[in-house]
C-alpha cells in the first residue's frame, strides 16, 4: 500500500468538498443578494449546506489513521531483520577488503532492496568518506513528513502555494515514488550530500 497516495487522495477529497461547499454558499449568497429568496429561505438553505459541509475533524481523523498505519509499516520495514543479513558481506566491510568506493558500491548494488544491509553499508561509507549510491531508506519518511507539512499549510489556505502543490500531479507523483521504496521501488541516494 502506498501511504503517500492514500494521504494525497484523502486531502484532495477534502479540498474538493470544501471547494464545493464554498461554491454552494457563494451561489446562495448571490441569490439572496439578488433578492430572489427571503431571509427564511436563505437561512434554511444555509443550514442544509452547513449540515453537509466537510468537517476538518473527520479529514484529520482519516489523515491521522493513514499516518499511524504508515508509522507501523515503516517501523516494520526498517527494523533489522536477521534473515536479511548477509554475514559474508558484513565481514568484508573493513579496510583490508574494501579499499575504494567502487569496491563498496559492488556490495551496495547487491543489497539494493534490503534496508537491513543498507544501514551498515551506509555507515561504513560515511566513516571512510566513500561516496556511493545506495537505497534511500529514509525516502518514505521524507515523503510523509513533506506531505504533512504541506497539508498543514494547505488547510489554512486552500488557494495557496501548498494547496496548489498538492493539486499538482507531478509534485505528488514524486512523493508517491519516494514512499514506494517500502513497496520495493529502488530510489538511490548518494552517501555524501553535496
Amino acid at each position: 500500500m502506498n501511504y503517500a497516495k492514500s494521504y494525497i487522495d484523502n486531502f484532495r477529497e477534502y479540498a474538493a468538498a470544501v471547494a464545493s461547499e464554498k461554491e454552494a454558499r457563494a451561489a446562495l449568497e448571490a441569490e439572496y443578494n439578488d433578492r430572489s429568496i427571503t431571509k427564511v429561505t436563505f437561512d434554511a438553505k444555509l443550514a442544509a449546506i452547513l449540515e453537509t459541509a466537510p468537517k476538518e475533524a473527520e479529514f484529520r481523523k482519516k489523515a491521522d489513521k493513514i499516518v499511524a498505519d504508515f508509522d507501523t509499516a515503516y517501523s516494520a520495514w526498517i527494523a533489522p531483520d536477521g534473515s536479511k543479513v548477509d554475514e559474508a558481506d558484513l565481514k568484508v566491510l573493513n579496510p583490508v577488503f574494501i579499499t575504494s568506493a567502487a569496491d563498496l558500491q559492488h556490495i551496495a548494488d547487491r543489497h539494493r532492496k534490503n534496508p537491513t544491509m543498507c544501514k551498515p553499508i551506509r555507515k561504513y561509507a560515511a566513516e571512510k568518506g566513500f561516496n556511493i549510491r545506495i537505497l534511500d531508506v529514509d525516502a518514505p519518511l521524507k515523503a510523509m513528513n513533506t506531505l504533512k507539512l504541506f497539508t498543514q499549510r494547505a488547510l489554512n489556505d486552500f488557494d495557496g502555494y501548498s494547496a496548489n502543490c498538492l493539486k499538482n500531479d507531478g509534485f505528488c507523483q514524486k512523493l508517491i515514488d519516494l514512499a514506494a521504496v517500502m513497496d520495493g521501488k529502488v530510489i538511490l541516494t548518494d552517501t555524501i550530500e553535496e
Side-chain angles (χ1 to χ4, degrees), residues 122 131 136 142 189-194:
R122 180 182 287 264
N131 186 12
D136 188 356
K142 292 176 197 172
T189 185
D190 291 330
T191 55
I192 299 174
E193 299 291 326
E194 300 182 86

PDB file of all heavy atoms in Angstrom, residues 122 131 136 142 189-194:
ATOM      1  N   ARG A 122      25.900   2.021   4.493  1.00  0.00           N
ATOM      2  CA  ARG A 122      25.884   3.493   4.526  1.00  0.00           C
ATOM      3  C   ARG A 122      26.791   4.014   5.648  1.00  0.00           C
ATOM      4  O   ARG A 122      27.533   4.965   5.465  1.00  0.00           O
ATOM      5  CB  ARG A 122      24.458   3.995   4.735  1.00  0.00           C
ATOM      6  CG  ARG A 122      24.342   5.506   4.786  1.00  0.00           C
ATOM      7  CD  ARG A 122      22.902   5.905   5.045  1.00  0.00           C
ATOM      8  NE  ARG A 122      22.086   5.680   3.875  1.00  0.00           N
ATOM      9  CZ  ARG A 122      21.801   6.619   2.994  1.00  0.00           C
ATOM     10  NH1 ARG A 122      22.223   7.835   3.159  1.00  0.00           N
ATOM     11  NH2 ARG A 122      21.073   6.342   1.942  1.00  0.00           N
ATOM     12  N   ASN A 131      31.864   7.964  -1.350  1.00  0.00           N
ATOM     13  CA  ASN A 131      30.605   8.420  -1.914  1.00  0.00           C
ATOM     14  C   ASN A 131      30.062   7.320  -2.814  1.00  0.00           C
ATOM     15  O   ASN A 131      30.600   7.061  -3.884  1.00  0.00           O
ATOM     16  CB  ASN A 131      30.800   9.711  -2.703  1.00  0.00           C
ATOM     17  CG  ASN A 131      29.488  10.294  -3.179  1.00  0.00           C
ATOM     18  OD1 ASN A 131      28.421   9.872  -2.752  1.00  0.00           O
ATOM     19  ND2 ASN A 131      29.572  11.258  -4.069  1.00  0.00           N
ATOM     20  N   ASP A 136      17.821   4.691  -0.522  1.00  0.00           N
ATOM     21  CA  ASP A 136      17.457   5.762   0.402  1.00  0.00           C
ATOM     22  C   ASP A 136      16.378   5.228   1.338  1.00  0.00           C
ATOM     23  O   ASP A 136      15.191   5.285   1.046  1.00  0.00           O
ATOM     24  CB  ASP A 136      16.956   6.979  -0.383  1.00  0.00           C
ATOM     25  CG  ASP A 136      16.750   8.184   0.507  1.00  0.00           C
ATOM     26  OD1 ASP A 136      16.918   8.062   1.740  1.00  0.00           O
ATOM     27  OD2 ASP A 136      16.413   9.258  -0.026  1.00  0.00           O
ATOM     28  N   LYS A 142      10.678  10.848   4.512  1.00  0.00           N
ATOM     29  CA  LYS A 142      10.755  12.195   3.931  1.00  0.00           C
ATOM     30  C   LYS A 142       9.460  12.533   3.209  1.00  0.00           C
ATOM     31  O   LYS A 142       8.947  13.654   3.318  1.00  0.00           O
ATOM     32  CB  LYS A 142      11.925  12.285   2.942  1.00  0.00           C
ATOM     33  CG  LYS A 142      13.294  12.191   3.560  1.00  0.00           C
ATOM     34  CD  LYS A 142      14.342  12.185   2.448  1.00  0.00           C
ATOM     35  CE  LYS A 142      15.671  11.695   2.934  1.00  0.00           C
ATOM     36  NZ  LYS A 142      16.626  11.506   1.829  1.00  0.00           N
ATOM     37  N   THR A 189      20.375   7.167  -3.363  1.00  0.00           N
ATOM     38  CA  THR A 189      20.851   8.470  -2.946  1.00  0.00           C
ATOM     39  C   THR A 189      22.354   8.369  -2.703  1.00  0.00           C
ATOM     40  O   THR A 189      22.864   7.277  -2.430  1.00  0.00           O
ATOM     41  CB  THR A 189      20.126   8.973  -1.685  1.00  0.00           C
ATOM     42  OG1 THR A 189      20.547  10.289  -1.396  1.00  0.00           O
ATOM     43  CG2 THR A 189      20.401   8.084  -0.496  1.00  0.00           C
ATOM     44  N   ASP A 190      23.041   9.462  -2.812  1.00  0.00           N
ATOM     45  CA  ASP A 190      24.468   9.484  -2.518  1.00  0.00           C
ATOM     46  C   ASP A 190      24.660   9.457  -1.008  1.00  0.00           C
ATOM     47  O   ASP A 190      23.871  10.019  -0.262  1.00  0.00           O
ATOM     48  CB  ASP A 190      25.133  10.746  -3.092  1.00  0.00           C
ATOM     49  CG  ASP A 190      25.181  10.712  -4.603  1.00  0.00           C
ATOM     50  OD1 ASP A 190      25.257   9.612  -5.178  1.00  0.00           O
ATOM     51  OD2 ASP A 190      25.126  11.794  -5.208  1.00  0.00           O
ATOM     52  N   THR A 191      25.761   8.829  -0.569  1.00  0.00           N
ATOM     53  CA  THR A 191      26.039   8.805   0.869  1.00  0.00           C
ATOM     54  C   THR A 191      26.601  10.137   1.328  1.00  0.00           C
ATOM     55  O   THR A 191      26.481  10.495   2.482  1.00  0.00           O
ATOM     56  CB  THR A 191      27.033   7.690   1.236  1.00  0.00           C
ATOM     57  OG1 THR A 191      28.206   7.857   0.458  1.00  0.00           O
ATOM     58  CG2 THR A 191      26.413   6.337   1.006  1.00  0.00           C
ATOM     59  N   ILE A 192      27.217  10.877   0.436  1.00  0.00           N
ATOM     60  CA  ILE A 192      27.759  12.173   0.783  1.00  0.00           C
ATOM     61  C   ILE A 192      26.933  13.231   0.070  1.00  0.00           C
ATOM     62  O   ILE A 192      26.930  13.303  -1.158  1.00  0.00           O
ATOM     63  CB  ILE A 192      29.252  12.301   0.375  1.00  0.00           C
ATOM     64  CG1 ILE A 192      30.063  11.239   1.126  1.00  0.00           C
ATOM     65  CG2 ILE A 192      29.765  13.690   0.680  1.00  0.00           C
ATOM     66  CD1 ILE A 192      31.508  11.174   0.691  1.00  0.00           C
ATOM     67  N   GLU A 193      26.213  14.009   0.858  1.00  0.00           N
ATOM     68  CA  GLU A 193      25.385  15.073   0.273  1.00  0.00           C
ATOM     69  C   GLU A 193      26.280  16.243  -0.093  1.00  0.00           C
ATOM     70  O   GLU A 193      27.189  16.601   0.648  1.00  0.00           O
ATOM     71  CB  GLU A 193      24.320  15.533   1.272  1.00  0.00           C
ATOM     72  CG  GLU A 193      23.364  14.430   1.689  1.00  0.00           C
ATOM     73  CD  GLU A 193      22.437  13.996   0.575  1.00  0.00           C
ATOM     74  OE1 GLU A 193      22.053  14.852  -0.223  1.00  0.00           O
ATOM     75  OE2 GLU A 193      22.097  12.811   0.524  1.00  0.00           O
ATOM     76  N   GLU A 194      26.023  16.847  -1.241  1.00  0.00           N
ATOM     77  CA  GLU A 194      26.829  17.971  -1.670  1.00  0.00           C
ATOM     78  C   GLU A 194      26.028  19.245  -1.613  1.00  0.00           C
ATOM     79  O   GLU A 194      24.866  19.283  -1.670  1.00  0.00           O
ATOM     80  CB  GLU A 194      27.343  17.730  -3.083  1.00  0.00           C
ATOM     81  CG  GLU A 194      28.182  16.468  -3.109  1.00  0.00           C
ATOM     82  CD  GLU A 194      28.761  16.205  -4.472  1.00  0.00           C
ATOM     83  OE1 GLU A 194      29.829  16.741  -4.755  1.00  0.00           O
ATOM     84  OE2 GLU A 194      28.098  15.487  -5.235  1.00  0.00           O
TER      85      GLU A 194
END
